């Protein structure tokens, strides 16, 4: 499913609708270039879950936890993996997988920025992604140019988000995730009218 996001407020709205619609455990994988709206989406998601804390990107800590909403929110950012050597990446990845294993089977929402970087981590020495083992939603953010075509390259993280059109491509595996997607897309369409 493809959605057009006209700036920051629509990205927050999309996240908020997900937060309101999720009633059970959910893993959301976020992909897209720098500045495309991943953290902005998470802020909306936290609002929809009723999180009271200020949500910030966990780029340097890799994991932030928020427990004040109706479901715990675990917010991961894997960007550091792209800047690490192979041995550092594997050590960080092993630590991250151990942390994920502690809460991934609980009733919670886990959102992962730069989820495509899981492909850089070998799980038990194999070339499989941690996400391959989980039912999850994937949201791929991209910039939209003046012709309405999505691209990986935008104006960069310093450009005002309101000036850049975005698209979000949504996909999910598992019946619960498909139900959440359909509910969110329906509500989003109504909000745009």
């Amino acid at each position: 499913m493809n959605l057009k996001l006209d700036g920051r407020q629509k990205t927050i709205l999309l996240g908020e609708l997900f937060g309101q619609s999720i009633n059970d455990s959910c893993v959301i994988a976020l992909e897209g270039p720098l500045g495309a709206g991943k953290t902005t989406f998470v802020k909306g998601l936290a609002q929809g879950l009723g999180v009271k804390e200020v949500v910030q990107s966990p780029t340097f800590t890799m994991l932030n936890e928020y427990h004040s909403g109706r479901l715990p929110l675990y917010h991961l950012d894997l960007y550091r993996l792209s800047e690490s050597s192979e041995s550092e990446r594997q050590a960080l990845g092993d630590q991250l997988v151990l942390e994920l294993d502690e809460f991934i089977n609980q009733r919670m929402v886990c959102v992962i920025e730069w989820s495509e970087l899981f492909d850089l981590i070998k799980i038990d020495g194999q070339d499989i992604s941690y996400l391959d083992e989980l039912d999850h939603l994937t949201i791929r953010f991209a910039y939209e140019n003046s012709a309405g075509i999505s691209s990986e390259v935008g104006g960069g993280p310093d450009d005002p988000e309101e000036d850049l059109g975005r698209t979000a491509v949504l996909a999910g595996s598992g019946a619960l995730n498909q139900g959440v997607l359909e509910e969110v897309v329906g509500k989003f369409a109504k909000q745009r009218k």
Side-chain angles (χ1 to χ4, degrees):
M1 294 180 219
N2 295 327
L3 297 178
K4 183 173 172 34
L5 306 172
D6 301 321
R8 180 177 171 75
Q9 291 307 314
K10 293 296 184 200
T11 305
I12 288 174
L13 172 63
L14 180 63
E16 193 170 357
L17 292 173
F18 269 98
Q20 293 168 358
S21 300
I22 295 169
N23 293 311
D24 204 346
S25 293
C26 186
V27 176
I28 304 173
L30 302 179
E31 300 176 356
L34 281 171
K38 295 180 293 294
T39 301
T40 300
F41 170 85
V42 178
K43 290 178 180 186
L45 176 73
Q47 287 176 12
L49 289 170
V51 170
K52 306 289 186 251
E53 298 95 337
V54 175
V55 172
Q56 297 180 351
S57 178
T59 301
F60 297 104
T61 59
M62 290 184 72
L63 172 64
N64 287 341
E65 298 180 30
Y66 305 95
H67 295 277
S68 61
R70 60 184 179 77
L71 291 170
L73 173 61
Y74 295 89
H75 180 194
L76 287 87
D77 186 326
L78 304 184
Y79 185 76
R80 277 183 47 206
L81 294 177
S82 68
E83 298 179 333
S84 303
S85 70
E86 187 173 342
S87 61
E88 292 171 326
R89 185 170 45 242
Q90 193 59 49
L92 284 170
D94 290 345
Q95 175 188 347
L96 184 61
V97 168
L98 284 173
E99 290 179 30
L100 285 169
D101 284 343
E102 287 181 23
F103 63 78
I104 205 74
N105 294 314
Q106 299 173 16
R107 196 165 174 265
M108 58 79 223
V109 176
C110 177
V111 62
I112 307 165
E113 293 189 44
W114 298 96
S115 62
E116 64 272 24
L117 295 177
F118 263 125
D119 293 343
L120 299 176
I121 304 169
K122 293 187 181 357
I123 308 297
D124 297 326
Q126 300 176 28
D127 286 330
I128 59 169
S129 171
Y130 185 83
L131 286 175
D132 291 342
E133 305 297 313
L134 304 172
D135 282 350
H136 65 281
L137 296 165
T138 301
I139 303 174
R140 177 143 192 80
F141 292 97
Y143 297 102
E144 187 173 88
N145 66 25
S146 58
I149 299 169
S150 296
S151 70
E152 291 298 308
V153 181
D158 296 329
D159 286 350
E161 219 174 307
E162 293 299 332
D163 296 338
L164 296 170
R166 304 277 195 280
T167 59
V169 178
L170 293 75
S173 61
L176 283 176
N177 290 330
Q178 287 298 331
V180 168
L181 274 182
E182 289 170 14
E183 182 178 336
V184 167
V185 170
K187 287 179 180 178
F188 190 82
K190 287 179 184 175
Q191 293 278 339
R192 290 189 61 103
K193 291 181 180 181

